[in-house]
Amino acid sequence: MTGVPEPSIPRTDPRAGFIEYLDFFRAEVRRTCSGLGEAELATSIVPSGWTLPTMVEHLVHMERRWLVWGFVGEDVPRPRADRAADGSFVTDRPIGVLLDALDEGGRRTRSIVENHDLADRATVGGMFASGDSLPTLLSILLHVSQEYARHLGHIDIARELIDGLVGDD
């Protein structure tokens, strides 16, 4: 399995660079979560209890929370990943549905980023109240990129522990 090539940041359009990197992260999440059976996807191999589907569910909500609820100020549904009685994370959505939701969120992010300047401030409402220090689109995109990078690393390690697939294998 070969990963998609890492994007380059255009010197004249950093917004395009963010879009390319977020698309890259989503594609890597899809690639790394592909090819596993239901039993492997449903089993947690980490002490905190998350599985690959619950991590993808988190990423779906995280991106929507920061860009749609946070920056645009639209109401969004609460995250679908919940905790079971033992504290472990659970989701009832299959990995294919989650990966499609991740891509759908990416299309919404693309639209938001293409239609705003990086210096634009988040909207009051949603995540931010009147009187809050409103972050710029740039700071939100940096945070979302950091979340993807961090959790893609977790996903990579989980996949390696499941079946030995390493990074760009």
Side-chain angles (χ1 to χ4, degrees), residues 34-136:
S34 296
L36 295 171
E38 286 188 36
E40 294 162 316
L41 290 166
T43 303
S44 175
I45 58 168
V46 294
S48 60
W50 62 265
T51 62
L52 291 174
T54 56
M55 183 59 76
V56 176
E57 185 86 66
H58 167 72
L59 290 171
V60 168
H61 178 70
M62 175 278 301
E63 187 168 354
R64 182 177 56 223
R65 179 177 184 261
W66 281 101
L67 275 296
V68 178
W69 187 47
F71 184 74
V72 179
E74 292 178 15
D75 220 9
V76 297
R78 293 195 44 81
R80 292 184 50 101
D82 293 317
R83 288 188 184 253
D86 67 0
S88 63
F89 292 98
V90 295
T91 184
D92 60 354
R93 298 201 291 176
I95 194 69
V97 170
L98 291 166
L99 293 169
D100 290 346
L102 196 68
D103 291 339
E104 180 183 326
R107 287 187 290 277
R108 182 69 196 278
T109 293
R110 175 182 291 273
S111 174
I112 291 168
V113 173
E114 288 176 343
N115 289 293
H116 291 87
D117 188 84
L118 292 176
D120 287 352
R121 298 257 172 205
T123 304
V124 171
M127 184 186 288
F128 301 105
S130 181
D132 286 351
S133 176
L134 301 175
T136 63

Side-chain angles (χ1 to χ4, degrees), residues 1-64:
M1 207 186 280
T2 302
V4 295
E6 189 170 334
S8 60
I9 298 176
R11 293 175 194 233
T12 58
D13 189 1
R15 286 181 314 161
F18 276 110
I19 290 169
E20 285 183 40
Y21 259 98
L22 292 173
D23 287 348
F24 167 76
F25 289 141
R26 282 187 227 93
E28 284 296 293
V29 169
R30 180 176 288 278
R31 182 188 68 79
T32 306
C33 290
S34 296
L36 295 171
E38 286 188 36
E40 294 162 316
L41 290 166
T43 303
S44 175
I45 58 168
V46 294
S48 60
W50 62 265
T51 62
L52 291 174
T54 56
M55 183 59 76
V56 176
E57 185 86 66
H58 167 72
L59 290 171
V60 168
H61 178 70
M62 175 278 301
E63 187 168 354
R64 182 177 56 223

Side-chain angles (χ1 to χ4, degrees), residues 10 125 147 150 165 169:
E147 284 263 356
R150 178 176 183 234
L165 181 75
D169 281 356

